[in-house]
Amino acid sequence: MKAKKLFFKECHLAGRQYHDVDEVWEDLRVGTLLELERDLDNRYDGDAVAVIFRKVVDEEKGESEAYLLGYIPADENEKIAHLLEMGWNDIFECRISRIIPDTYYENQIHLTIRVKRNSNNE
């Protein structure tokens, strides 16, 4: 039986204190699905990969609001950034793997990133 997902990386959420985490803190749980998005306009990191949480505001209309939670750490984002630039936006599944509220900001949220099987190869 072929695996549907392959472990790729575990890392912390970088820059969390500068972005929207506090606005959606109560909505975040271990297992919450997040999106990875290439940030080509980031002046601090040429390979910046943003971590986005989408909060549903109207389920019937399919409306949601996007919240920038932070970034994949700069020393761990190069491969992901290049794949996203090549158009592989749906290859990754990013989920919250750990939340530790009573620690330093950089260690509060940890992420697990997996590569999803290409549906053409099933």
Side-chain angles (χ1 to χ4, degrees):
M1 182 155 125
K2 294 181 180 180
K4 293 186 179 189
K5 298 174 199 153
L6 179 66
F7 176 82
F8 183 73
K9 178 179 295 298
E10 175 97 20
C11 63
H12 70 278
L13 177 69
R16 159 268 183 268
Q17 67 271 33
Y18 304 111
H19 301 289
D20 300 333
V21 172
D22 291 336
E23 293 180 45
V24 293
W25 182 261
E26 297 299 320
D27 297 307
L28 302 177
R29 306 271 182 275
V30 169
T32 297
L33 183 63
L34 306 172
E35 296 175 14
L36 300 180
E37 187 176 291
R38 185 69 172 89
D39 184 353
L40 295 169
D41 298 325
N42 190 301
R43 62 183 174 159
Y44 302 105
D45 182 358
D47 290 322
V49 176
V51 178
I52 309 292
F53 170 66
R54 289 209 179 271
K55 182 175 182 176
V56 176
V57 292
D58 189 331
E59 201 167 325
E60 285 183 20
K61 294 180 181 177
E63 294 177 359
S64 63
E65 293 178 352
Y67 292 86
L68 172 61
L69 301 184
Y71 290 87
I72 300 298
D75 61 342
E76 301 188 48
N77 66 5
E78 184 179 13
K79 288 180 183 177
I80 296 171
H82 291 213
L83 286 166
L84 291 174
E85 284 177 25
M86 299 278 302
W88 291 98
N89 298 350
D90 295 331
I91 195 172
F92 296 108
E93 177 186 274
C94 179
R95 292 189 182 268
I96 295 175
S97 58
R98 211 169 17 167
I99 298 176
I100 309 168
D102 299 326
T103 190
Y104 180 69
Y105 284 124
E106 292 293 313
N107 288 321
Q108 286 183 340
I109 298 177
H110 290 254
L111 310 170
T112 296
I113 301 169
R114 291 184 170 83
V115 175
K116 297 186 286 185
R117 176 169 295 284
N118 184 333
S119 60
N120 295 331
N121 292 333
E122 292 190 64

